[in-house]
Amino acid sequence: FEGHIDYIVNHGSYTTRWDILMSGGDWIDEETASPGPIFKFEDVGLRNLGIKDLYLPDFVSVGSNINITAEVKEYNESEGVFYLEPISIKKR
């Protein structure tokens, strides 16, 4: 699906693993919440994201519009978050 990155942070003390929050549709700005569900990749590295570069590419940052290919692992009703198993993300 087409979406964007709302938030990205290192997973724990790791510098090569991340937690990434995403929403559907295009990024507008930091003040505008996207209507619809929130998606999360948790504890992912470059290979999990289908990225072959040695470093995190520039397009993996807050506000980037991306194409997301993933499988739903679970839905956390109390958080309102779909946890996804990534297959790939690509710049769009």
Side-chain angles (χ1 to χ4, degrees), residues 12-76:
S13 61
Y14 294 101
T15 58
T16 59
R17 301 202 61 82
W18 299 274
D19 296 335
I20 303 172
L21 281 179
M22 301 158 292
S23 297
D26 292 339
W27 170 263
I28 298 171
D29 59 40
E30 291 180 357
E31 303 298 320
T32 306
S34 298
I38 302 291
F39 303 96
K40 184 175 186 179
F41 292 147
E42 190 169 61
D43 190 14
V44 295
L46 292 174
R47 289 186 183 176
N48 300 110
L49 299 173
I51 297 171
K52 298 188 181 357
D53 296 341
L54 294 176
Y55 302 99
L56 197 65
D58 290 342
F59 75 87
V60 183
S61 60
V62 172
S64 292
N65 291 319
I66 56 177
N67 283 319
I68 303 157
T69 304
E71 294 180 11
V72 176
K73 287 189 338 186
E74 70 177 282
Y75 175 69
N76 184 309

